[in-house]
Amino acid sequence: MSEERSLNFLEQIIEEDIAKGIHGGRVHTRFPPEPNGYLHIGHAKSICLNFGLAKKYNGLTNLRFDDTNPITEDTEYVDSIKADIRWLGFEWAEEHYASDYFEQLYEFAVALIKKGLAYVDDSTPEEIAAMKGTPTEPGKESPYRSRSVEENLQLFENMRNGMYKDGERVLRAKIDMAAPNMHLRDPLMYRIKHAHHHRTGDKWCIYPMYDFAHGQSDSIEHITHSICTLEFVPHRPLYDWFIDKLEIFPSHQYEFARLSLNYTVTSKRKLKQLVSDGIVRGWDDPRMPTLSALRRRGYTPASIRAFCERVGVQKRDNIIEVGLLEYFIREELNRTANRVMAVLDPVRLVITNYPADRVEALQAENNPEDASAGHRTVPFSNTLYIEREDFMENPPKKFFRLAPGQMVRLKYAYIIKCDSVEKDADGNITTIYCSYLPESRSGGDASGISVKGTIHWVSAAHAATAEVRLYDRLFKVEDPGNEEGDFKSYINPDSLQVVSNAYIEPALASAKTGDRFQFLRKGYFCVDPDTTTGKLVFNRTVTLKDTWAKEASKGEKAKA
RNA sequence: UGCCCGAUAGUAUAAUGGUAGUACGACAGAUUUUGGUUCUGUUUGUCUAGGUUCGAAUCCUGGUCGGGCAACCA
């Protein structure tokens, strides 16, 4: 008995098309990135959509690189894009490049010239812009608009043969300079760029514009449903016009609202700036919303897919709360990540009535959500490190952790009671002295005492160390792209906090790059590729939900 | 002020002429050897004015608000 899930608008369109027998019920989509940057979480939505739709309706999805602008594109990006799509869990049917179609597109252009539907314009970029008109005023026809077919054919061939400099001439479609839709005012089809292309090398010096490449590429591949984002809606009449005039396979374009996340930016231009300005350490800096960064941070493909599924697909602009993404990774890691203990901000704790030469190997369950995860042993001794924030000299009412005279349980171990503290000259606590209840050992507690709080710890003599990188949101404001001034002025200065010497339980010393753990009470962490044999580096993927922190900050606000 | 797109709780998303529901969040409580998890409960919504209809979030009209469009970018 499966739950009835309603169809999104694209699924409705596809089901109607299948019912009507359009294209024989065939569904073929494509994912068309431009190789000029790394994929981000917004692309994940598009990938899940295009591949997901095809899968649902027994269709296929092509990967096609929209590489019509040699200036900005690079194979580095091609490789990262392919890796990211596969990491997300999808495999394309065919791999194509718009540049593979350059010859065919050239022939299409020639065909339009022959039909009297395209012409070579000698105007300068400035003149062309001036003749475009404005949204409220019609444009003016170019003086070159009425050239003969023969002349256009010759000039276009000359363009191809490199007889002109960059910007000297363009090929334009002859449509309507008074069209209310600006994109129909004789749009450019080809421009001259004497530039090296990452795939075609120096073979071409004219390159098709997006509008003259995308729809035709879809058509060549017999794409049935060409799905793109909302900003291309006004391009659709042009998309249809070229296909109609060329009399080629009628692909159709459908548009959905792109995904935006709050407290971040998802504009390739802005992301690139963060990288080139050194604000982050690279495209895969774990604070970035790129897929490579999310991967490095510890996000799983399944959590991102679940997120994309959940946010749905619609035509209204939206900004999703990052909290939703965090929910999905917590949800998965809670089920799958082994628990371990790590102390990030240590303070020494000595159990005065525990023999100094004694070491116990305590049993610790790896994952309370998964019995099959088994157990490990954790060494216990009289000198431990605990989290500095787990002790307060003058605790507020509902503070269930350590305080003078107050008792807590050490996870997997004993109940202890704080007897005294030792401070340095500046008043900082250096050591907390406690006594333990020998009969309160975990698993065989005969003390009859129950305590409200349980804290994590590591044995000082047995602890290993690691660098731990704590991340917070990259921006201080919800929609940095829409704020006044430079978006970079809204960077959160505390987005990265490095703990260079965290104490971790010895079992963790053998962790490998990519391994994920829950640091008990602290969050989910993942071993970073910067890890070397001598030095472990962890990234905090996401914190645990922390109702105490919320409670405490409420108290702060009340005081203020 | 030309053309196009859109408007349902804080956020996102359903209801396709017939009881406005779900998820995340927030709030309250229970459980808990993680202030985690889990469970229970609560709160908050159809942009507006008309019209059609027995009945409108849904259809029609006007308005309001938001977004997009005038790159030899995609």
Side-chain angles (χ1 to χ4, degrees):
Chain A
M1 204 175 60
S2 72
E3 201 169 309
E4 197 68 30
R5 211 189 113 253
S6 51
L7 303 176
N8 67 47
F9 81 102
L10 291 172
E11 292 169 330
Q12 287 179 31
I13 287 167
I14 290 174
E15 294 202 0
E16 281 163 24
D17 287 351
I18 290 173
K20 283 187 252 171
I22 293 175
H23 305 310
R26 194 172 57 85
V27 174
H28 202 147
T29 61
R30 104 267 91 112
F31 176 64
E34 185 192 8
N36 69 342
Y38 281 65
L39 260 24
H40 56 65
I41 186 72
H43 293 110
K45 174 175 175 179
S46 178
I47 292 168
C48 291
L49 236 193
N50 276 297
F51 284 89
L53 247 17
K55 188 175 181 191
K56 176 167 182 179
Y57 296 104
N58 298 311
L60 299 169
T61 305
N62 292 354
L63 169 61
R64 183 176 66 240
F65 290 96
D66 231 330
D67 55 352
T68 56
N69 184 359
I71 310 292
T72 57
E73 295 152 6
D74 197 279
T75 41
E76 173 199 354
Y77 300 121
V78 170
D79 296 339
S80 76
I81 287 167
K82 286 159 71 170
D84 285 345
I85 296 171
R86 289 201 167 110
W87 175 73
L88 251 194
F90 298 102
E91 190 60 52
W92 47 93
E94 304 161 21
E95 178 176 330
H96 294 296
Y97 295 78
S99 54
D100 289 342
Y101 307 138
F102 281 172
E103 193 63 50
Q104 172 71 262
L105 293 170
Y106 182 85
E107 293 307 319
F108 283 154
V110 168
L112 288 182
I113 292 172
K114 286 180 177 166
K115 284 188 170 187
L117 294 173
Y119 63 98
V120 172
D121 195 333
D122 304 0
S123 309
T124 65
E126 295 72 30
E127 287 167 339
I128 289 178
M131 288 186 288
K132 265 271 146 98
T134 69
T136 51
E137 294 165 282
K140 289 194 194 63
E141 295 188 351
S142 164
Y144 304 97
R145 196 174 199 257
S146 50
R147 288 218 248 235
S148 68
V149 168
E150 292 67 33
E151 190 184 3
N152 280 318
L153 249 16
Q154 186 58 54
L155 290 170
F156 187 46
E157 194 180 322
N158 292 349
M159 281 171 65
R160 174 181 186 163
N161 291 335
M163 292 176 63
Y164 311 120
K165 291 200 284 286
D166 285 10
E168 242 175 52
R169 284 181 170 76
V170 290
L171 183 71
R172 302 177 70 177
K174 194 190 282 189
I175 306 181
D176 178 7
M177 288 307 292
N181 181 338
M182 299 291 291
H183 294 278
L184 262 17
R185 320 246 262 227
D186 290 9
L188 271 57
M189 294 163 60
Y190 270 91
R191 74 296 213 188
I192 299 170
K193 276 182 195 283
H194 291 273
H196 188 82
H197 186 279
H198 74 111
R199 297 191 82 240
T200 59
D202 298 312
K203 182 176 180 195
W204 294 87
C205 63
I206 57 169
Y207 292 94
M209 299 288 293
Y210 167 84
D211 285 306
F212 193 66
H214 201 102
Q216 287 83 307
S217 300
D218 285 340
S219 180
I220 289 167
E221 294 172 25
H222 286 213
I223 298 302
T224 58
H225 301 264
S226 178
I227 298 163
C228 63
T229 44
L230 249 29
E231 68 269 27
F232 293 100
V233 170
H235 294 247
R236 185 171 1 110
L238 184 53
Y239 182 106
D240 293 338
W241 190 89
F242 281 129
I243 284 178
D244 179 53
K245 300 303 178 193
L246 256 10
E247 301 177 67
I248 53 179
F249 180 86
S251 294
H252 273 280
Q253 174 183 303
Y254 304 90
E255 312 86 7
F256 70 96
R258 62 150 29 101
L259 178 152
S260 303
L261 265 191
N262 64 5
Y263 296 104
T264 190
V265 292
T266 44
S267 133
K268 265 195 264 184
R269 208 196 89 247
K270 295 197 175 85
L271 293 175
K272 198 175 256 177
Q273 225 178 312
L274 293 174
V275 174
S276 55
D277 290 5
I279 290 171
V280 295
R281 293 176 178 181
W283 285 97
D284 69 343
D285 184 303
R287 292 167 292 180
M288 294 279 273
T290 55
L291 295 182
S292 49
L294 291 167
R295 171 168 64 233
R296 183 166 183 178
R297 180 147 172 178
Y299 275 80
T300 60
S303 66
I304 292 173
R305 279 187 258 117
F307 169 74
C308 290
E309 179 70 23
R310 188 66 206 156
V311 299
V313 37
Q314 251 305 330
K315 298 189 75 157
R316 44 177 176 258
D317 296 318
N318 58 82
I319 300 181
I320 314 282
E321 296 173 341
V322 281
L324 190 63
L325 220 207
E326 294 176 345
Y327 164 80
F328 281 103
I329 189 61
R330 285 196 188 104
E331 197 269 332
E332 177 174 346
L333 262 17
N334 176 53
R335 284 184 278 113
T336 59
N338 280 352
R339 273 61 170 171
V340 292
M341 293 194 289
V343 176
L344 271 26
D345 181 17
V347 62
R348 217 163 75 101
L349 182 150
V350 174
I351 301 168
T352 50
N353 61 340
Y354 192 89
D357 57 353
R358 189 163 151 205
V359 176
E360 276 183 272
L362 300 174
Q363 286 290 298
E365 69 180 337
N366 284 326
N367 186 346
E369 308 293 322
D370 177 11
S372 73
H375 289 75
R376 69 185 184 287
T377 58
V378 185
F380 181 84
S381 67
N382 80 325
T383 305
L384 314 173
Y385 289 113
I386 66 164
E387 214 68 64
R388 193 165 280 275
E389 65 171 14
D390 284 339
F391 177 85
M392 277 185 97
E393 222 177 346
N394 299 296
K397 263 232 154 40
K398 285 190 276 184
F399 186 78
F400 302 142
R401 308 175 186 181
L402 251 201
Q406 213 160 293
M407 289 194 285
V408 287
R409 173 171 295 279
L410 293 170
K411 182 73 180 176
Y412 311 125
Y414 300 92
I415 292 173
I416 56 170
K417 179 179 169 193
C418 172
D419 301 316
S420 63
V421 299
E422 189 174 271
K423 296 179 186 177
D424 64 14
D426 299 326
N428 301 311
I429 291 164
T430 52
T431 307
I432 300 166
Y433 292 98
C434 296
S435 46
Y436 85 116
L437 275 48
E439 67 281 12
S440 68
R441 193 169 122 161
S442 279
D445 189 342
S447 68
I449 292 173
S450 73
V451 291
K452 278 265 193 177
T454 299
I455 62 174
H456 61 278
W457 52 273
V458 293
S459 169
H462 305 88
T465 59
E467 175 176 316
V468 179
R469 298 173 183 170
L470 307 175
Y471 302 104
D472 195 359
R473 47 182 61 134
L474 230 201
F475 290 92
K476 291 181 289 190
V477 294
E478 278 205 49
D479 191 3
N482 264 329
E483 291 284 343
E484 285 291 310
D486 185 0
F487 77 101
K488 294 196 297 304
S489 60
Y490 299 95
I491 291 279
N492 173 10
D494 304 317
S495 60
L496 169 64
Q497 188 195 336
V498 177
V499 176
S500 44
N501 256 304
Y503 290 110
I504 57 177
E505 62 174 86
L508 212 40
S510 56
K512 298 283 178 294
T513 298
D515 285 354
R516 298 182 177 87
F517 300 94
Q518 182 194 111
F519 287 2
L520 221 60
R521 305 204 304 136
K522 300 303 314 179
Y524 295 99
F525 293 76
C526 173
V527 182
D528 188 85
D530 282 349
T531 293
T532 58
T533 28
K535 184 187 173 194
L536 264 173
V537 179
F538 287 94
N539 292 315
R540 182 172 67 196
T541 307
V542 66
T543 60
L544 253 30
K545 285 212 286 185
D546 191 344
T547 33
W548 169 248
K550 211 186 293 180
E551 187 76 21
S553 76
K554 264 192 245 169
E556 286 296 306
K557 270 180 208 155
K559 261 186 246 167

